[in-house]
Each structure stands twice: as C-alpha cells, then as structure tokens.
C-alpha cells in the first residue's frame, strides 16, 4: 500500500480509499446490491489487511447501517491508525423528519451526534457536506462545522459535488470569517466523466484542497466491456448507471480502449481505469467501492501498474464534453 497527504491537512491516508456505500446490516433494504453484515465485515477486514486505512461512508448509506458496520469492525483495530470520513445532507432514514436532512445548524449538530454514536467514536476525522444546500446560507453551515471542529467532534471538514463557484464561495466565506475551511472535495471523476477538469479541479489545486474521486469506475461502466454492463446485478437495478451519460460522446471508444490496454498489460479493465486516476496530478485518492475481496485486490494492485504517457494520451483522446451530472 502507498500513503499520501490529504490536501493541506498533513494527515496521511492510504492511496486507495474504501467506499462503504455497499455495506449494511442484514436488515438493510435500501439497495438490492447492498451487502449483508457478514459480507461487509469480510471486505472491511480484508481492506485493513491490505493496508487500507481510509474509509468513506455517510449517514445515509444503508440508512446509517454502513456507519454501524464500519464502526463495529474498526473497534477491533487501532483507531488512531484509521481515517474515517462520513457525510451529512441526505436523509439518514427511510421516513426521516424534515430536519434530518440539509445543512442547517440543527441538522448538522444532531446528525453528527447520530453518526458518532453509530460509528462508536468520539471524533470523526473528516466530516463532509454531501451536497450544496440551496435553502441554508453557506455562512450558517460553515459556522456550524467550525463549531464541531472547536468542540473536537470532527477534525477536518470537506465537501462533495457542487459547482465550482459554490465551492469558492464556501472557501471565501470561511476565510473572511476566520472559520475552518474545507480541506477536501469529493467529486465525480473518471475516464468517462472529466467535466470537473474545467473549473473544480483547477480550483482545488490552487486552494490546496485534497481531491477524492468518487465513482472512479463509472458505476461499473469501466470495469467490463460496454456490451456486458446491463447483464450485471447493478446494471439491472441501479438507475443512475443508465441516467448518467457514461456511454455518451466518445465514451464507448474509451471503454474499448480500456479493454484493449487491459489485455495488453495483462490486467483487468478496472485496474486500468483506477491506474489512470492514480497517474493524474489532481486526484489525491480514488474512492473504490466493491462487493468482493477479489475486486478489492484488483484495486490495490492497480498501484503497481505503470502507464506510459502514450497510454494516458490514448485513453484520454476520445473524450468529448458531456452533460454535467453528480451535483444532484
């Protein structure tokens, strides 16, 4: 495993972040592809064996069960060695009350306590706003997050998927008021979705913000030949896979080139897609979600793949502008 510094925090994290959206308890029924508690535990323990120390979850994943499973597993290890990130904004339960979501002070304060309890922790390493809240002034949100840092409820704060002008406004608001600024941006980025290169990624580089790329495999589109995508369990049940423009523009050709390079290097398509992200200067860590230990092994082994400048150019060349997605 390789390790790197997360933005300007000075905090070291594994170069692969394990996304915990697929994890749940046996009672979880949010998604058809959510894993059982036993399956989730197996993957988490295997990740730790591989040297992964960075875990990303949310209060809304499996209606909070993802946090419970993660916290239960990490309680058996050295907590100081692990870096845990979770989020607030979306509904944390199927029948959540109105103040359970959003980024008001009330929501943030009650949801951080709920996340801490589920995780079984005193302090969350990275607390992220899951999306932009159009109903709450950003200064209220930033002040509420700053209070959590001062009270040692969280160590750092981050953001996820918004317009660059919104993120700049959030950073400026914090700076002008002397409040805790966002240390990370978790955004939608992969070989077949590169719209973030226009504004968000340059902004993050200029501000010293760490970048955590979600959906690095484009919900599986980059993990297998495009003609086979719909045959998978997720392909049959995950509506976002088909609503997002992964097969638009030149992305079918990119998928085919990923397949070609995978054959040439003797690795999987997923490993090529992850290796491309690891070769970029802008991404600190890709967030890799998985439903099997074998796929997790593949992700970690991608750290060893050396793509030439010609390989990178060959993968990138067919890309065409596509509609913005992921801010919803």
């Amino acid at each position: 495993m390789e390790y790197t510094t997360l933005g300007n925090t000075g905090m070291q994290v594994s170069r692969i972040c394990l996304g915990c959206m697929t994890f749940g308890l046996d009672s979880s029924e949010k998604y058809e592809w959510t894993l059982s508690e036993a399956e989730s535990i197996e993957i988490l323990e295997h990740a730790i064996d591989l040297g992964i120390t960075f875990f990303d979850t949310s209060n809304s994943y499996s209606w909070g069960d993802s946090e419970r499973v993660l916290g239960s597993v990490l309680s058996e290890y050295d907590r100081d060695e692990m870096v845990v990130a979770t989020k607030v904004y979306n509904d944390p339960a199927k029948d959540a009350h109105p103040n359970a979501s959003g980024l008001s002070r009330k929501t943030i304060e009650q949801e951080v306590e709920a996340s801490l309890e589920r995780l079984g922790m005193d302090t969350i390493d990275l607390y992220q706003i899951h999306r932009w809240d159009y109903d709450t002034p950003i200064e209220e949100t930033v002040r509420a997050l700053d209070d959590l840092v001062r009270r040692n409820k969280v160590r750092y704060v981050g953001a996820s998927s918004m317009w660059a002008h919104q993120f700049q406004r959030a950073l400026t608001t914090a700076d002008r008021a002397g409040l805790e600024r966002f240390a990370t941006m978790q955004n939608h980025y992969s070989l077949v979705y590169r719209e973030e290169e226009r504004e968000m990624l340059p902004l993050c580089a200029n501000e010293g913000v760490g970048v955590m790329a979600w959906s690095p495999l484009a919900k599986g589109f980059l993990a297998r030949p495009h003609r086979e995508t719909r045959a998978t369990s997720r392909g049959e049940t995950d509506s976002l896979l088909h609503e997002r423009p992964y097969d638009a523009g030149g992305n079918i050709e990119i998928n085919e080139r990923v397949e070609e390079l995978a054959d040439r290097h003797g690795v999987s398509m997923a490993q090529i897609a992850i290796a491309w992200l690891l070769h970029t200067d802008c991404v600190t860590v890709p967030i890799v979600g998985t439903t099997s230990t074998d796929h997790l092994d593949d992700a970690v082994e991608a750290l060893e793949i050396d793509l030439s400048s010609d390989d990178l150019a060959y993968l990138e060349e067919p890309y065409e502008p596509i509609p913005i997605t992921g801010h919803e």
Side-chain angles (χ1 to χ4, degrees):
M1 178 54 60
E2 297 176 6
Y3 300 88
T4 189
T5 305
L6 187 60
N8 285 337
T9 65
M11 181 171 62
Q12 294 290 302
V13 296
S14 53
R15 196 74 206 283
I16 299 292
C17 176
L18 181 61
C20 300
M21 187 177 184
T22 58
F23 302 156
L25 299 176
D26 296 330
S27 60
S28 295
E29 297 178 355
K30 189 171 183 182
Y31 304 111
E32 291 185 24
W33 37 266
T34 298
L35 300 177
S36 69
E37 181 175 8
E39 293 169 323
S40 302
I41 290 172
E42 180 184 10
I43 291 176
L44 283 164
E45 291 180 340
H46 189 63
I48 295 170
D49 289 342
L50 291 172
I52 292 176
T53 60
F54 195 14
F55 304 88
D56 177 75
T57 184
S58 167
N59 66 335
S60 64
Y61 292 167
S62 296
W63 306 130
D65 282 348
S66 174
E67 289 182 328
R68 292 188 184 95
V69 173
L70 177 61
S72 175
V73 171
L74 294 187
S75 68
E76 303 298 322
Y77 295 85
D78 182 357
R79 173 65 184 87
D80 292 340
E81 185 180 353
M82 308 301 171
V83 177
V84 175
T86 192
K87 312 181 197 72
V88 61
Y89 172 75
N90 290 322
D91 284 341
K94 188 174 183 179
D95 300 313
H97 58 82
N99 282 316
S101 60
L103 298 175
S104 69
R105 177 178 292 274
K106 176 176 174 58
T107 298
I108 288 172
E109 290 187 350
Q110 67 192 20
E111 288 307 311
V112 75
E113 295 293 346
S115 288
L116 285 167
E117 181 177 356
R118 286 189 292 264
L119 288 165
M121 298 172 180
D122 297 322
T123 308
I124 293 166
D125 297 303
L126 177 64
Y127 198 51
Q128 305 156 102
I129 58 173
H130 213 152
R131 291 296 183 270
W132 182 267
D133 185 351
Y134 288 89
D135 297 322
T136 304
I138 187 59
E139 184 170 355
E140 176 177 339
T141 297
V142 172
R143 286 189 179 278
L145 294 171
D146 181 77
D147 285 346
L148 298 186
V149 174
R150 294 175 187 275
R151 289 157 48 199
N152 202 35
K153 297 290 184 180
V154 306
R155 293 189 171 92
Y156 302 100
V157 296
S160 179
S161 290
M162 60 186 64
W163 298 101
H165 72 85
Q166 293 171 326
F167 192 44
Q168 181 65 77
R169 182 179 167 193
L171 292 169
T172 301
T173 298
D175 290 344
R176 287 178 175 173
L179 302 171
E180 189 76 15
R181 76 188 330 248
F182 292 101
T184 59
M185 166 53 64
Q186 181 176 151
N187 54 339
H188 189 194
Y189 189 54
S190 71
L191 259 174
V192 291
Y193 186 79
R194 294 169 51 199
E195 300 307 299
E196 300 292 286
E197 292 176 3
R198 305 183 190 284
E199 295 183 350
M200 182 59 81
L201 293 178
L203 170 61
C204 290
N206 186 61
E207 295 286 347
V209 171
V211 173
M212 303 161 59
W214 62 262
S215 203
L217 300 180
K219 288 190 173 290
F221 179 77
L222 289 168
R224 58 189 61 82
H226 59 85
R227 54 194 173 275
E228 298 176 7
T229 299
R230 289 185 181 271
T232 66
S233 174
R234 193 161 192 177
E236 294 175 351
T237 60
D238 191 344
S239 61
L240 286 177
L241 172 60
H242 309 298
E243 291 171 9
R244 290 181 175 150
Y246 293 137
D247 58 358
N251 287 345
I252 292 294
E253 184 173 353
I254 291 174
N255 178 282
E256 293 171 349
R257 292 189 181 194
V258 170
E259 183 181 9
E260 178 187 336
L261 275 183
D263 289 341
R264 189 186 307 170
H265 283 267
V267 298
S268 69
M269 289 180 63
Q271 287 175 309
I272 292 294
I274 293 171
W276 175 81
L277 276 171
L278 294 169
H279 278 71
T280 66
D281 293 330
C282 56
V283 174
T284 309
V285 296
I287 302 173
V288 178
T290 182
T291 56
S292 78
T293 55
D294 288 342
H295 292 165
L296 189 56
D297 288 336
D298 284 350
V300 172
E301 289 169 5
L303 289 163
E304 302 174 6
I305 297 174
D306 184 20
L307 297 178
S308 68
S309 57
D310 287 342
D311 288 337
L312 298 174
Y314 184 64
L315 290 170
E316 296 169 3
E317 188 271 333
Y319 188 79
E320 299 173 7
I322 57 177
I324 301 294
T325 183
H327 295 181
E328 67 277 357

